[in-house]
């Protein structure tokens, strides 16, 4: 009787373990991405997937020829990745700002929109590599 219970327990545990869907691999999102912002200035975002589908990152932009470096030690971009969809919110001084990134990973690039309030600008971010 005890052996039958052990076999039943082990069998049900094994079946339950097999039913777990595999975790998605979002490592393709990790790294630096170069794109254009609102007024045509260059923007670089550095992203990292930290907990399953949670994303953190930093941004740096050149607006009207002036480079703005965000020197805070804390991440400024927070969001999620779900399949090929990436949504980020920019934070400043510990609070979310009105700037949101709504992007889709297509043909090796992040394509979509950067939104500031009601303003929406189309953008494409391309992955940067060590030679860039």
């Amino acid at each position: 009787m005890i052996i039958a219970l052990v076999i039943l327990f082990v069998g049900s545990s094994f079946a339950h373990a097999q039913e777990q869907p595999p975790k998605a691999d979002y490592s393709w999102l990790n790294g630096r991405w170069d794109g254009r912002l609102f007024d045509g200035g260059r923007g670089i975002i550095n992203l990292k997937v930290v907990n399953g589908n949670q994303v953190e990152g930093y941004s740096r932009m050149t607006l009207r020829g002036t480079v703005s470096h965000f020197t805070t030690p804390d991440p400024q971009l927070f969001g999620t990745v779900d399949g090929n969809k990436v949504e980020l919110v920019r934070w400043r001084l510990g609070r979310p700002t009105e700037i949101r990134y709504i992007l889709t990973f297509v043909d090796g690039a992040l394509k979509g929109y950067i939104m500031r309030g009601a303003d929406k600008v189309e953008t494409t971010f391309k992955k940067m590599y060590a030679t860039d």
Side-chain angles (χ1 to χ4, degrees):
M1 180 69 171
I2 293 175
I3 293 174
L5 288 174
V6 169
I7 291 173
L8 180 64
F9 177 73
V10 170
S12 66
S13 295
F14 181 71
H16 179 69
Q18 287 182 330
E19 293 172 15
Q20 302 282 335
K23 287 189 175 189
D25 179 12
Y26 295 122
S27 61
W28 54 265
L29 187 56
N30 295 334
R32 293 176 359 156
W33 297 82
D34 180 30
R36 297 285 170 198
L37 301 179
F38 299 103
D39 65 352
R42 180 179 176 205
I44 297 173
I45 55 177
N46 191 359
L47 303 175
K48 182 177 181 182
V49 179
V50 291
N51 282 329
N53 73 333
Q54 301 299 304
V55 181
E56 292 182 357
Y58 300 88
S59 64
R60 180 179 72 197
M61 61 183 103
T62 303
L63 298 173
R64 296 177 190 92
T66 303
V67 176
S68 297
H69 294 278
F70 298 104
T71 57
T72 177
D74 298 319
Q76 319 161 287
L77 299 173
F78 295 93
T80 58
V81 56
D82 185 11
N84 67 340
K85 306 285 185 196
V86 180
E87 292 193 24
L88 302 167
V89 175
R90 185 167 154 240
W91 284 57
R92 188 100 192 245
L93 303 173
R95 296 188 315 257
T97 66
E98 291 186 350
I99 297 177
R100 296 183 322 143
Y101 298 74
I102 310 298
L103 306 166
T104 303
F105 185 65
V106 179
D107 297 328
L110 293 172
K111 299 179 181 184
Y113 299 95
I114 299 175
M115 300 178 69
R116 183 185 329 181
D119 295 332
K120 181 164 92 171
V121 176
E122 194 169 331
T123 190
T124 299
F125 283 89
K126 294 183 180 179
K127 188 84 175 238
M128 296 177 71
Y129 297 94
T131 57
D132 293 333

